Amino acid sequence: MKKPVLALATLSLLLAPALAAQEEHASGPLTVEGGLMFWTIVVFLVLLAVLKKFAWPAILGAVEAREKALEEQLAAAERDRAEAAKLLEEHRKLVADAKTQSHGMVLEARQLAEKERAVAMEKTKQEQEELLARARREIAAERDRAVADLRREAVDLSLAAASKLVGQRLDGDADRKIVLDYLATLDGGR
């Protein structure tokens, strides 16, 4: 590093008088000055060497670090996208399962309601039949009582009529038995 700088300094000392002579000439935007051009190239090369030695590795390292960070971010974004897609698919499965389960529950509830309704209808029908049977039994028992009462009344009326006809009182159990037997023969003949 010291050798190029030393050579540059020596060269500049040698060319300084020539440059001073050139400066006396008229300068303008379109005039070409050899010394200025030489020093511009030298400064550019020195600056290029310094930048290559010190700045270029730092800039290149920063660019590579940024590139690596961007690649990592892209990879993370891809992983996140894949995970989000996986979670979305799981969510869709869960929603589908929930719909299937709810549909099954509704169907099961309908079937259970139908069974309960059928059981309730059967129970109601059974209770109705029991009430009807009990009413028929009560009606039959009442009819039997009424027939028995009517028979007693008929026997008493028959005995009263017969006693008036015969002229004597028929109260005995034997007389009652005769009338009851006669009425039984009349019922059997129907």
Side-chain angles (χ1 to χ4, degrees), residues 94-158:
L94 289 174
V95 167
D97 289 346
K99 282 183 181 179
T100 303
Q101 285 179 350
S102 67
H103 182 67
M105 291 173 123
V106 167
L107 190 60
E108 185 178 326
R110 282 184 185 160
Q111 290 174 347
L112 186 60
E114 282 295 319
K115 286 180 184 177
E116 288 294 324
R117 187 175 81 57
V119 166
M121 290 293 288
E122 184 64 32
K123 186 177 179 182
T124 303
K125 186 176 179 182
Q126 201 172 34
E127 288 175 357
Q128 184 182 16
E129 288 175 2
E130 287 176 7
L131 284 172
L132 191 58
R134 186 173 40 177
R136 285 183 182 149
R137 284 192 307 269
E138 288 176 1
I139 289 171
E142 195 62 38
R143 186 190 70 221
D144 289 344
R145 268 188 249 122
V147 167
D149 286 344
L150 191 60
R151 277 191 181 169
R152 265 194 308 272
E153 288 292 321
V155 168
D156 289 340
L157 286 174
S158 297

Coordinates of all heavy atoms in Angstrom, one line a residue, residues 94-158:
L94 N -63.0 -30.1 10.3 CA -63.7 -29.9 11.6 C -65.1 -29.4 11.3 O -66.1 -29.9 11.9 CB -63.0 -29.0 12.5 CG -61.7 -29.6 13.2 CD1 -61.0 -28.5 14.0 CD2 -62.0 -30.8 14.0
V95 N -65.2 -28.5 10.4 CA -66.6 -27.9 10.1 C -67.4 -29.0 9.4 O -68.6 -29.2 9.7 CB -66.4 -26.7 9.1 CG1 -67.7 -26.3 8.5 CG2 -65.8 -25.5 9.9
A96 N -66.8 -29.8 8.5 CA -67.5 -30.9 7.9 C -67.9 -31.9 8.9 O -69.1 -32.4 8.9 CB -66.7 -31.5 6.8
D97 N -67.0 -32.3 9.8 CA -67.4 -33.2 10.9 C -68.5 -32.7 11.8 O -69.4 -33.4 12.1 CB -66.1 -33.5 11.7 CG -65.1 -34.4 11.0 OD1 -65.5 -34.9 9.9 OD2 -64.0 -34.5 11.5
A98 N -68.4 -31.4 12.1 CA -69.4 -30.8 12.9 C -70.8 -30.8 12.2 O -71.8 -31.1 12.8 CB -69.0 -29.4 13.3
K99 N -70.8 -30.5 10.9 CA -72.0 -30.6 10.1 C -72.6 -32.0 10.1 O -73.8 -32.2 10.3 CB -71.8 -30.1 8.7 CG -71.7 -28.6 8.6 CD -71.5 -28.2 7.1 CE -71.4 -26.7 7.0 NZ -71.2 -26.3 5.6
T100 N -71.7 -33.0 9.9 CA -72.1 -34.4 9.9 C -72.7 -34.8 11.2 O -73.8 -35.4 11.3 CB -71.0 -35.3 9.5 OG1 -70.4 -34.8 8.3 CG2 -71.4 -36.7 9.4
Q101 N -72.0 -34.4 12.3 CA -72.5 -34.7 13.6 C -73.8 -34.0 13.9 O -74.7 -34.7 14.5 CB -71.4 -34.3 14.7 CG -70.2 -35.2 14.7 CD -69.2 -34.8 15.8 OE1 -69.3 -33.7 16.3 NE2 -68.2 -35.6 16.0
S102 N -73.9 -32.8 13.6 CA -75.2 -32.1 13.9 C -76.3 -32.7 13.0 O -77.4 -32.8 13.5 CB -75.0 -30.6 13.6 OG -74.8 -30.3 12.2
H103 N -76.0 -33.0 11.8 CA -77.1 -33.7 11.0 C -77.5 -35.0 11.6 O -78.7 -35.3 11.7 CB -76.5 -33.9 9.6 CG -77.5 -34.5 8.6 ND1 -78.7 -33.8 8.2 CD2 -77.6 -35.7 8.1 CE1 -79.4 -34.6 7.5 NE2 -78.7 -35.8 7.3
G104 N -76.5 -35.8 12.1 CA -76.8 -37.0 12.7 C -77.6 -36.8 14.0 O -78.5 -37.6 14.3
M105 N -77.2 -35.8 14.8 CA -78.0 -35.5 16.0 C -79.4 -35.1 15.7 O -80.3 -35.5 16.4 CB -77.3 -34.4 16.8 CG -75.9 -34.8 17.4 SD -75.1 -33.3 18.1 CE -74.9 -33.9 19.8
V106 N -79.6 -34.3 14.7 CA -80.9 -33.9 14.3 C -81.7 -35.1 13.8 O -82.9 -35.3 14.2 CB -80.9 -32.8 13.2 CG1 -82.2 -32.6 12.5 CG2 -80.3 -31.5 13.7
L107 N -81.1 -36.0 13.0 CA -81.8 -37.2 12.6 C -82.1 -38.1 13.8 O -83.2 -38.6 13.8 CB -80.9 -37.9 11.6 CG -81.5 -39.0 10.8 CD1 -82.7 -38.6 10.0 CD2 -80.5 -39.7 9.9
E108 N -81.2 -38.2 14.7 CA -81.4 -39.0 15.9 C -82.5 -38.4 16.7 O -83.4 -39.2 17.2 CB -80.1 -39.1 16.7 CG -80.2 -40.1 17.8 CD -78.9 -40.2 18.6 OE1 -77.8 -40.1 17.9 OE2 -78.9 -40.3 19.8
A109 N -82.5 -37.1 16.9 CA -83.6 -36.5 17.6 C -84.9 -36.7 17.0 O -85.9 -36.9 17.7 CB -83.2 -35.0 17.8
R110 N -85.0 -36.6 15.7 CA -86.3 -36.8 15.0 C -86.7 -38.3 15.2 O -87.9 -38.5 15.5 CB -86.1 -36.6 13.5 CG -86.1 -35.1 13.1 CD -86.0 -34.9 11.6 NE -85.9 -33.5 11.3 CZ -85.4 -33.1 10.2 NH1 -85.1 -33.9 9.2 NH2 -85.4 -31.8 9.9
Q111 N -85.8 -39.2 15.1 CA -86.2 -40.6 15.3 C -86.7 -40.8 16.7 O -87.7 -41.5 17.0 CB -85.0 -41.5 15.0 CG -84.7 -41.6 13.5 CD -83.4 -42.4 13.3 OE1 -82.7 -42.7 14.2 NE2 -83.2 -42.7 12.0
L112 N -85.9 -40.2 17.7 CA -86.3 -40.3 19.1 C -87.7 -39.7 19.3 O -88.5 -40.3 20.0 CB -85.3 -39.7 20.0 CG -85.5 -39.8 21.5 CD1 -85.4 -41.3 21.9 CD2 -84.4 -39.1 22.2
A113 N -87.9 -38.5 18.7 CA -89.2 -37.9 18.8 C -90.3 -38.7 18.2 O -91.4 -38.8 18.8 CB -89.2 -36.5 18.2
E114 N -90.1 -39.4 17.1 CA -91.1 -40.2 16.5 C -91.3 -41.4 17.4 O -92.5 -41.8 17.6 CB -90.6 -40.7 15.1 CG -90.7 -39.7 14.0 CD -92.2 -39.4 13.7 OE1 -93.0 -40.3 13.7 OE2 -92.4 -38.2 13.5
K115 N -90.3 -42.0 18.0 CA -90.5 -43.1 18.9 C -91.3 -42.7 20.1 O -92.2 -43.4 20.6 CB -89.1 -43.7 19.4 CG -88.4 -44.5 18.3 CD -87.1 -45.0 18.9 CE -86.3 -45.8 17.8 NZ -85.0 -46.2 18.3
E116 N -90.9 -41.5 20.7 CA -91.7 -41.0 21.8 C -93.1 -40.8 21.5 O -94.0 -41.0 22.3 CB -91.0 -39.7 22.3 CG -89.7 -39.9 23.0 CD -89.8 -40.7 24.3 OE1 -90.9 -40.5 25.1 OE2 -89.0 -41.5 24.6
R117 N -93.4 -40.2 20.3 CA -94.7 -39.9 19.9 C -95.5 -41.2 19.7 O -96.7 -41.4 20.1 CB -94.7 -39.2 18.5 CG -96.1 -38.7 18.1 CD -96.1 -37.8 16.9 NE -96.0 -38.5 15.6 CZ -96.8 -39.4 15.1 NH1 -97.8 -39.8 15.8 NH2 -96.7 -39.8 13.9
A118 N -94.8 -42.3 19.1 CA -95.5 -43.6 18.9 C -95.8 -44.2 20.3 O -96.9 -44.7 20.5 CB -94.6 -44.5 18.1
V119 N -94.8 -44.1 21.2 CA -95.1 -44.6 22.6 C -96.2 -43.9 23.2 O -97.1 -44.5 23.9 CB -93.8 -44.5 23.4 CG1 -94.0 -44.8 24.9 CG2 -92.7 -45.5 22.9
A120 N -96.2 -42.6 23.1 CA -97.3 -41.8 23.7 C -98.6 -42.1 23.1 O -99.6 -42.2 23.8 CB -97.0 -40.3 23.6
M121 N -98.6 -42.3 21.8 CA -99.9 -42.6 21.1 C -100.4 -44.0 21.6 O -101.6 -44.2 21.8 CB -99.7 -42.6 19.6 CG -99.5 -41.3 19.0 SD -101.0 -40.3 19.1 CE -102.0 -41.0 17.9
E122 N -99.4 -45.0 21.7 CA -99.8 -46.3 22.1 C -100.3 -46.3 23.6 O -101.3 -46.9 23.9 CB -98.5 -47.2 22.0 CG -98.8 -48.7 22.4 CD -99.8 -49.3 21.4 OE1 -99.8 -49.0 20.2 OE2 -100.6 -50.2 21.9
K123 N -99.6 -45.5 24.4 CA -100.0 -45.4 25.8 C -101.4 -44.7 25.9 O -102.3 -45.2 26.6 CB -99.0 -44.5 26.6 CG -99.3 -44.5 28.0 CD -98.2 -43.7 28.8 CE -98.5 -43.6 30.2 NZ -97.5 -42.8 30.9
T124 N -101.7 -43.7 25.1 CA -103.0 -43.1 25.1 C -104.0 -44.0 24.6 O -105.1 -44.1 25.2 CB -102.9 -41.8 24.2 OG1 -101.9 -40.9 24.6 CG2 -104.2 -41.1 24.2
K125 N -103.7 -44.8 23.5 CA -104.7 -45.7 23.0 C -105.0 -46.8 24.1 O -106.1 -47.2 24.3 CB -104.1 -46.4 21.7 CG -105.1 -47.3 21.0 CD -104.4 -47.8 19.7 CE -105.4 -48.7 19.0 NZ -104.7 -49.2 17.8
Q126 N -103.9 -47.3 24.7 CA -104.1 -48.3 25.8 C -105.0 -47.7 26.9 O -105.9 -48.4 27.4 CB -102.7 -48.7 26.3 CG -102.7 -50.0 27.0 CD -101.3 -50.4 27.3 OE1 -100.4 -49.6 27.6 NE2 -101.0 -51.7 27.2
E127 N -104.7 -46.5 27.3 CA -105.5 -45.9 28.4 C -106.9 -45.7 28.0 O -107.9 -45.9 28.7 CB -104.9 -44.5 28.8 CG -103.6 -44.6 29.6 CD -102.9 -43.3 29.8 OE1 -103.5 -42.2 29.4 OE2 -101.9 -43.2 30.5
Q128 N -107.1 -45.3 26.7 CA -108.5 -45.2 26.2 C -109.2 -46.5 26.2 O -110.4 -46.6 26.6 CB -108.4 -44.6 24.7 CG -109.7 -44.3 24.1 CD -109.5 -43.8 22.7 OE1 -108.5 -44.0 22.1 NE2 -110.6 -43.2 22.2
E129 N -108.5 -47.6 25.8 CA -109.1 -48.9 25.8 C -109.4 -49.4 27.2 O -110.5 -50.0 27.4 CB -108.2 -49.9 25.1 CG -108.1 -49.7 23.6 CD -107.1 -50.7 22.9 OE1 -106.5 -51.5 23.6 OE2 -107.0 -50.6 21.7
E130 N -108.5 -49.1 28.1 CA -108.8 -49.4 29.5 C -110.0 -48.7 30.0 O -110.9 -49.3 30.7 CB -107.6 -49.1 30.4 CG -106.4 -50.1 30.2 CD -105.2 -49.7 31.0 OE1 -105.2 -48.8 31.8 OE2 -104.1 -50.3 30.8
L131 N -110.1 -47.4 29.7 CA -111.3 -46.6 30.2 C -112.5 -47.1 29.5 O -113.6 -47.2 30.2 CB -111.1 -45.1 29.8 CG -110.1 -44.3 30.6 CD1 -109.9 -42.9 30.0 CD2 -110.7 -44.1 32.1
L132 N -112.5 -47.5 28.3 CA -113.6 -48.0 27.6 C -114.0 -49.4 28.2 O -115.2 -49.6 28.4 CB -113.3 -48.1 26.1 CG -114.5 -48.4 25.2 CD1 -115.5 -47.4 25.3 CD2 -114.0 -48.5 23.7
A133 N -113.0 -50.2 28.5 CA -113.3 -51.5 29.1 C -113.9 -51.3 30.5 O -114.9 -52.0 30.8 CB -112.1 -52.4 29.1
R134 N -113.3 -50.4 31.2 CA -113.9 -50.2 32.6 C -115.3 -49.6 32.5 O -116.2 -50.0 33.3 CB -113.0 -49.2 33.3 CG -113.4 -49.0 34.8 CD -112.4 -48.2 35.6 NE -112.0 -47.1 34.8 CZ -111.2 -46.1 35.2 NH1 -110.7 -46.2 36.4 NH2 -110.8 -45.1 34.4
A135 N -115.5 -48.7 31.6 CA -116.9 -48.2 31.4 C -117.9 -49.3 31.0 O -119.0 -49.3 31.5 CB -116.9 -47.1 30.3
R136 N -117.4 -50.2 30.1 CA -118.3 -51.3 29.7 C -118.6 -52.2 30.9 O -119.7 -52.7 31.0 CB -117.6 -52.1 28.6 CG -117.7 -51.4 27.3 CD -117.1 -52.2 26.1 NE -117.1 -51.5 24.9 CZ -116.3 -51.6 23.9 NH1 -115.3 -52.4 24.1 NH2 -116.4 -50.9 22.8
R137 N -117.5 -52.5 31.7 CA -117.7 -53.3 32.9 C -118.7 -52.6 33.8 O -119.6 -53.3 34.4 CB -116.4 -53.6 33.6 CG -115.5 -54.6 32.9 CD -114.4 -55.1 33.8 NE -113.6 -54.0 34.3 CZ -112.5 -53.5 33.8 NH1 -112.1 -54.0 32.6 NH2 -111.8 -52.5 34.4
E138 N -118.5 -51.3 34.0 CA -119.4 -50.6 34.9 C -120.8 -50.6 34.4 O -121.8 -50.8 35.2 CB -118.9 -49.2 35.2 CG -117.7 -49.1 36.0 CD -117.1 -47.7 36.1 OE1 -117.7 -46.7 35.6 OE2 -116.1 -47.5 36.8
I139 N -121.0 -50.4 33.1 CA -122.3 -50.4 32.5 C -122.9 -51.8 32.6 O -124.1 -52.0 33.0 CB -122.2 -50.0 31.0 CG1 -121.9 -48.5 30.9 CG2 -123.5 -50.3 30.2 CD1 -121.6 -48.1 29.5
A140 N -122.1 -52.9 32.4 CA -122.6 -54.2 32.5 C -123.0 -54.5 34.0 O -124.1 -55.1 34.2 CB -121.6 -55.2 32.0
A141 N -122.2 -54.1 34.9 CA -122.5 -54.3 36.3 C -123.8 -53.5 36.7 O -124.7 -54.1 37.4 CB -121.3 -53.9 37.2
E142 N -123.9 -52.3 36.2 CA -125.1 -51.5 36.5 C -126.3 -52.1 35.9 O -127.4 -52.2 36.4 CB -124.9 -50.1 36.0 CG -125.8 -49.1 36.5 CD -125.8 -48.9 38.0 OE1 -124.7 -48.9 38.6 OE2 -126.8 -48.7 38.6
R143 N -126.2 -52.6 34.6 CA -127.3 -53.3 33.9 C -127.7 -54.5 34.7 O -128.9 -54.8 34.9 CB -126.9 -53.7 32.5 CG -128.0 -54.2 31.7 CD -127.6 -54.9 30.4 NE -126.9 -56.1 30.7 CZ -125.8 -56.5 30.1 NH1 -125.3 -55.8 29.2 NH2 -125.2 -57.6 30.5
D144 N -126.7 -55.3 35.2 CA -127.0 -56.5 36.0 C -127.7 -56.2 37.3 O -128.7 -56.8 37.6 CB -125.7 -57.3 36.3 CG -125.1 -58.0 35.0 OD1 -125.8 -58.1 34.0 OD2 -123.9 -58.4 35.1
R145 N -127.2 -55.1 37.9 CA -127.9 -54.6 39.1 C -129.4 -54.2 38.8 O -130.3 -54.5 39.5 CB -127.2 -53.4 39.8 CG -126.2 -53.9 40.8 CD -125.6 -52.7 41.6 NE -124.2 -52.7 41.2 CZ -123.6 -51.7 40.6 NH1 -124.2 -50.5 40.5 NH2 -122.3 -51.7 40.3
A146 N -129.5 -53.4 37.7 CA -130.8 -53.0 37.3 C -131.7 -54.2 37.0 O -132.9 -54.2 37.4 CB -130.7 -52.0 36.1
V147 N -131.2 -55.2 36.3 CA -132.0 -56.4 36.0 C -132.3 -57.1 37.2 O -133.5 -57.5 37.4 CB -131.2 -57.3 35.0 CG1 -131.8 -58.6 34.9 CG2 -131.1 -56.6 33.6
A148 N -131.4 -57.2 38.2 CA -131.7 -57.9 39.5 C -132.8 -57.1 40.2 O -133.7 -57.7 40.8 CB -130.4 -58.0 40.3
D149 N -132.6 -55.8 40.2 CA -133.6 -55.0 40.9 C -135.0 -55.1 40.2 O -136.0 -55.2 40.9 CB -133.2 -53.5 40.9 CG -132.1 -53.2 41.9 OD1 -131.9 -54.0 42.8 OD2 -131.5 -52.1 41.8
L150 N -134.9 -55.1 38.9 CA -136.2 -55.2 38.1 C -136.8 -56.6 38.4 O -138.0 -56.7 38.5 CB -135.9 -55.1 36.6 CG -137.0 -54.9 35.7 CD1 -137.9 -53.7 36.1 CD2 -136.6 -54.8 34.3
R151 N -136.0 -57.6 38.5 CA -136.5 -59.0 38.8 C -137.2 -59.0 40.2 O -138.2 -59.6 40.4 CB -135.4 -60.0 38.8 CG -135.1 -60.5 37.4 CD -134.2 -61.6 37.4 NE -134.0 -62.0 36.0 CZ -133.1 -62.9 35.7 NH1 -132.3 -63.5 36.6 NH2 -132.9 -63.2 34.4
R152 N -136.4 -58.4 41.2 CA -137.0 -58.3 42.5 C -138.4 -57.6 42.5 O -139.3 -58.1 43.1 CB -136.1 -57.7 43.5 CG -135.2 -58.6 44.2 CD -134.5 -57.9 45.4 NE -133.8 -56.7 45.1 CZ -132.5 -56.6 44.7 NH1 -131.8 -57.7 44.6 NH2 -132.0 -55.5 44.4
E153 N -138.4 -56.5 41.8 CA -139.6 -55.7 41.7 C -140.7 -56.6 41.0 O -141.9 -56.6 41.4 CB -139.4 -54.4 40.9 CG -138.6 -53.4 41.7 CD -139.4 -52.9 42.9 OE1 -140.7 -52.7 42.8 OE2 -138.8 -52.7 44.0
A154 N -140.3 -57.3 39.9 CA -141.2 -58.1 39.2 C -141.8 -59.2 40.0 O -143.0 -59.6 40.0 CB -140.6 -58.7 37.9
V155 N -140.8 -59.8 40.8 CA -141.3 -60.9 41.7 C -142.3 -60.4 42.7 O -143.3 -61.0 43.0 CB -140.1 -61.6 42.4 CG1 -140.5 -62.5 43.5 CG2 -139.2 -62.4 41.4
D156 N -141.9 -59.2 43.3 CA -142.8 -58.6 44.3 C -144.1 -58.3 43.7 O -145.2 -58.5 44.3 CB -142.1 -57.4 45.0 CG -141.0 -57.7 45.9 OD1 -140.9 -58.9 46.3 OD2 -140.1 -56.9 46.1
L157 N -144.1 -57.7 42.5 CA -145.4 -57.3 41.8 C -146.2 -58.6 41.5 O -147.4 -58.6 41.6 CB -145.1 -56.5 40.6 CG -144.7 -55.1 40.8 CD1 -144.3 -54.4 39.5 CD2 -145.8 -54.3 41.5
S158 N -145.4 -59.6 41.0 CA -146.1 -60.9 40.6 C -146.8 -61.5 41.8 O -147.9 -62.0 41.8 CB -145.1 -61.9 40.0 OG -144.6 -61.4 38.8

